[in-house]
């Protein structure tokens, strides 16, 4: 095993052992805190497909995160009020079933990513960054002006949604669901990076002209990667809204996009477990320093600055050294 693979295994072991210890010690808050970190890590893994493999610096991924959250909020709110979403020309009802909500969230965020990517990927560099940011802000202001689902105040869901065979109100059982999804997406990302598609995407990131000369369209590769990235981030958004039993326009804001990118940069761009380590450090700093000062982001900024200046590979890259990403 390489050093990075050992680090990845240690991180996964920590994600299993720490919540089990918290459950045995009757510390549900610590389980919830770890659940939040795992969900944000899932969003970071989604962005890392676009950023790490495709070289696409997106400041609009909060759009997909928020779409996933609102997919959960809309379906669950109609289910709890016994009010159908649509009656004509055909009946569409709300639901409290997590698998159905995830499917809707993934589909909706995937379609949004496909549409946004199809337009944004016609540009590159700073123009791509600004266009993705613009799309994200458009959806943010749309959510603010959407009074049917809370507008600026957001939308509360009174009871967490259901998963067959589990009590989702039990923190450890909900965490098991989140961890299983995170592990599945990490496995998918690893296989994707090593697949012919992943290798072609990586080649397009390094030299798009050479890829085009062999008959492969860099635009199509990037669009597929951007869409998959948005789908995973949308799933994370649905889980995040379910965790808090609340969805608001904040999930769509550019600050959320920035935070997701910070997870990836801190942990290591193009590193399989980079977003996971980044999200864990972010939540740890928020928990430890948030109670000391309202300006704890200053310390996060210092950490980010040090990593950008002295540890370009992030925490994983610094500890594992130079090696093949997505091991």
């Amino acid at each position: 095993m390489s050093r990075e693979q050992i680090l990845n295994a240690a991180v996964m072991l920590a994600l299993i052992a720490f919540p089990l210890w918290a459950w045995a010690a009757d510390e549900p808050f610590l389980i919830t805190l770890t659940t939040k970190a795992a969900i944000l890590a899932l969003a970071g893994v989604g962005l890392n497909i676009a950023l790490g493999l495709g070289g696409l610096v997106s400041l609009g991924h909060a759009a997909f995160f928020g779409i996933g959250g609102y997919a959960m909020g809309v379906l669950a709110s109609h289910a709890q009020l016994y009010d159908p979403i649509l009656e004509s020309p055909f009946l569409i009802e709300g639901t409290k079933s997590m698998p159905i909500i995830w499917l809707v969230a993934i589909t909706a965020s995937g379609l949004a990513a496909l549409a946004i990517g199809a337009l944004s990927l016609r540009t590159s560099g700073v123009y791509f960054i600004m266009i993705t940011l613009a799309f994200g802000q458009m959806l943010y202001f749309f959510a603010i002006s959407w009074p049917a689902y809370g507008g600026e105040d957001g939308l509360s869901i009174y009871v967490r949604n259901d998963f067959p065979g589990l009590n989702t109100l039990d923190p450890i059982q909900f965490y098991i669901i989140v961890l299983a999804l995170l592990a599945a997406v990490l496995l998918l990302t690893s296989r994707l990076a090593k697949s012919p598609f992943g290798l072609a995407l990586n080649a397009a990131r390094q030299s798009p002209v050479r890829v085009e000369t062999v008959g492969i369209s860099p635009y199509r590769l990037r669009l597929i990667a951007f869409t998959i990235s948005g789908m995973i981030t949308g799933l994370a958004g649905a889980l995040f809204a379910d965790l808090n039993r609340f969805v608001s326009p904040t999930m769509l804001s550019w600050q959320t996009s920035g935070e997701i990118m910070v997870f990836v940069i801190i942990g290591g761009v193009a590193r399989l477990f980079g977003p996971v380590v980044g999200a864990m450090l972010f939540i740890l700093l928020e928990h430890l320093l948030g109670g000391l000062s309202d300006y704890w982001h200053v310390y996060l900024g210092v950490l980010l600055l040090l990593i950008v200046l002295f540890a370009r590979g992030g925490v994983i890259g610094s500890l594992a050294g130079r090696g093949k990403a997505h091991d």
Side-chain angles (χ1 to χ4, degrees):
M1 290 179 70
S2 67
R3 192 185 302 177
E4 182 169 347
Q5 289 175 325
I6 294 172
L7 284 171
N8 293 347
V11 172
M12 182 56 72
L13 183 62
L15 286 172
I16 296 171
F18 181 76
L20 287 177
W21 170 82
W23 175 65
D26 195 22
E27 294 284 354
F29 173 72
L30 294 179
I31 300 174
T32 302
L33 208 62
T34 313
T35 305
K36 182 180 178 181
I39 293 172
L40 294 178
L42 183 62
V45 171
L47 175 60
N48 206 24
I49 292 175
L51 178 60
L53 290 180
L56 302 172
V57 183
S58 169
L59 272 180
H61 261 58
F64 315 129
F65 192 69
I67 287 171
Y70 270 94
M72 188 288 293
V74 170
L75 290 170
S77 66
H78 280 276
Q80 72 183 10
L81 295 173
Y82 301 99
D83 177 32
I85 298 173
L86 185 68
E87 293 182 339
S88 179
F90 44 81
L91 181 65
I92 300 178
E93 296 183 316
T95 181
K96 300 285 288 181
S97 171
M98 281 187 180
I100 296 175
I101 289 171
W102 297 342
L103 181 61
V104 173
I106 290 170
T107 303
S109 55
L111 290 173
L114 180 63
I116 292 173
L119 295 172
S120 303
L121 287 168
R122 298 184 184 277
T123 64
S124 61
V126 68
Y127 301 103
F128 175 80
I129 297 172
M130 296 311 296
I131 288 177
T132 56
L133 174 62
F135 274 115
Q137 288 302 102
M138 285 168 58
L139 290 172
Y140 168 72
F141 285 110
F142 174 78
I144 285 179
S145 59
W146 200 10
Y149 298 105
E152 192 172 3
D153 296 327
L155 181 66
S156 295
I157 306 300
Y158 303 126
V159 179
R160 188 168 289 153
N161 295 306
D162 305 321
F163 188 86
L166 293 176
N167 175 17
T168 57
L169 288 174
D170 182 5
I172 192 65
Q173 294 191 47
F174 183 64
Y175 177 74
I176 289 171
I177 296 171
V178 172
L179 183 62
L181 288 172
L182 176 60
V185 170
L186 285 168
L187 179 61
L188 171 67
T189 304
S190 178
R191 295 290 177 85
L192 187 69
K194 297 172 183 176
S195 69
F197 168 78
L199 296 174
L201 180 63
N202 189 40
R205 176 179 61 83
Q206 298 179 50
S207 181
V209 176
R210 289 184 179 180
V211 171
E212 202 161 7
T213 57
V214 297
I216 301 175
S217 170
Y219 173 83
R220 186 176 300 173
L221 290 171
R222 289 167 179 162
L223 182 57
I224 293 171
F226 193 79
T227 303
I228 295 172
S229 175
M231 293 167 72
I232 294 172
T233 306
L235 173 61
L239 291 169
F240 189 77
D242 227 339
L243 172 68
N244 298 316
R245 283 174 276 177
F246 178 73
V247 60
S248 75
T250 306
M251 292 182 67
L252 293 150
S253 70
W254 67 269
Q255 290 96 332
T256 302
S257 290
E259 286 182 356
I260 296 172
M261 188 170 293
V262 165
F263 306 152
V264 179
I265 294 171
I266 289 177
V269 177
R271 301 286 179 169
L272 181 61
F273 273 71
V276 180
V277 172
M280 291 169 67
L281 285 174
F282 181 90
I283 295 300
L284 183 63
L285 287 173
E286 183 182 44
H287 177 60
L288 296 178
L289 302 177
L292 300 177
S293 171
D294 292 334
Y295 307 104
W296 67 273
H297 285 86
V298 172
Y299 306 103
L300 178 67
V302 172
L303 175 62
L304 185 61
L305 182 63
L306 291 173
I307 287 174
V308 170
L309 291 176
F310 304 110
R312 298 294 292 274
V315 173
I316 293 288
S318 299
L319 295 176
R322 287 192 171 187
K324 193 174 178 181
H326 284 91
D327 281 340

